Amino acid sequence: MARDGSGGRFEVPCHDEESGWFDASSSCYWRLLEPPPAADDPVWAGHAPGDGAVYNGQCPGQPLMGGLRWFQNPPPGYGSGPNLEALAEEAVTKMRLLGADIGIAPRRGGTGTVGVPVWVWNAPSPRTTGPTSASATALGVTVTATATVRDVVWNFGNGTALSCPFPGTPYSPAAGLTPPSRANGQCGTTGYSRPGDYAVTATTTWAVHWAGGGQQGGLTTTRSSQAPVTIAELQVVGR
């Protein structure tokens, strides 16, 4: 998978007879330059011939990114097979993971009151709560990755941040003004002390396990989402 100059993505083969081997981390093909440049060529970057090697790069959709470059070791994915970690990252891209689909009380567009609890939760779906899986294949090797949510940290925009049981419990009118209890799988804050407009931010950490090509590994990635909440003071009207 490569990127063009506008940030779009398109499929490319992992090996090309003329261009060499594809490195997903740079989105370039690399071919060993034979014969190597002269010892005084600036491309060696101060290294002597035999200390690493010089490769010629061709970058689909990014012509200015290629050219001759010295590498101490062969570029990722060069020669022996596909870059398994890059395939795992490609599989994660296919999942299109999201941050929390935030549920909040008071409801979106509504107004809360100073000192009244605010509840939050994450509406479940494969892309917001997982688990979800996807695969990527290159040179006959398939890597399958599975993502699960490891943690969600909620920041309420007033200096309060906490990690809650996942995915949280939706607010029920039967709860009345009872504050959410983490011990009961609920999440939220006991209330805002000042009126104003706040942004509640949920940062989801996804844990990804991948396996393929006789190897396995893990990586993490984060996604964030926000929901606005307006807090007003309780107005008491005398008669």
Side-chain angles (χ1 to χ4, degrees):
M1 186 74 72
R3 294 184 182 275
D4 59 26
S6 63
R9 300 174 68 87
F10 56 95
E11 296 283 348
V12 297
C14 287
H15 181 261
D16 181 87
E17 290 296 332
E18 295 185 0
S19 302
W21 294 85
F22 186 71
D23 169 23
S25 63
S26 65
S27 294
C28 296
Y29 283 99
W30 296 100
R31 178 177 56 82
L32 181 66
L33 197 64
E34 294 180 315
D40 58 354
D41 193 305
V43 74
W44 286 104
H47 299 272
D51 180 9
V54 174
Y55 295 78
N56 183 43
Q58 297 185 41
C59 309
Q62 304 179 88
L64 299 181
M65 297 294 291
L68 300 182
R69 188 181 304 179
W70 173 85
F71 287 89
Q72 179 69 64
N73 299 303
Y78 189 89
S80 60
N83 183 329
L84 299 183
E85 291 186 356
L87 284 178
E89 292 175 356
E90 181 179 337
V92 170
T93 298
K94 290 181 177 180
M95 296 178 199
R96 297 191 298 161
L97 301 176
L98 299 174
D101 181 2
I102 298 176
I104 188 168
R107 67 182 185 280
R108 292 174 184 259
T111 301
T113 304
V114 169
V116 173
V118 173
W119 289 53
V120 291
W121 60 93
N122 185 359
S125 75
R127 293 170 62 194
T128 59
T129 58
T132 186
S133 300
S135 299
T137 301
L139 294 176
V141 176
T142 297
V143 169
T144 299
T146 300
T148 55
V149 171
R150 187 178 71 188
D151 186 45
V152 179
V153 174
W154 298 85
N155 189 312
F156 292 90
N158 63 347
T160 299
L162 66 155
S163 175
C164 289
F166 176 80
T169 304
Y171 173 78
S172 169
L177 299 181
T178 303
S181 168
R182 297 178 65 193
N184 294 329
Q186 302 158 355
C187 185
T189 174
T190 54
Y192 289 84
S193 61
R194 297 180 181 179
D197 293 320
Y198 298 89
V200 176
T201 302
T203 301
T204 301
T205 298
W206 289 87
V208 179
H209 178 267
W210 61 264
Q215 300 183 40
Q216 61 180 327
L219 58 92
T220 59
T221 184
T222 59
R223 301 290 188 274
S224 294
S225 53
Q226 283 191 338
V229 60
T230 298
I231 303 297
E233 291 183 312
L234 179 64
Q235 300 293 322
V236 179
V237 179
R239 299 186 62 183

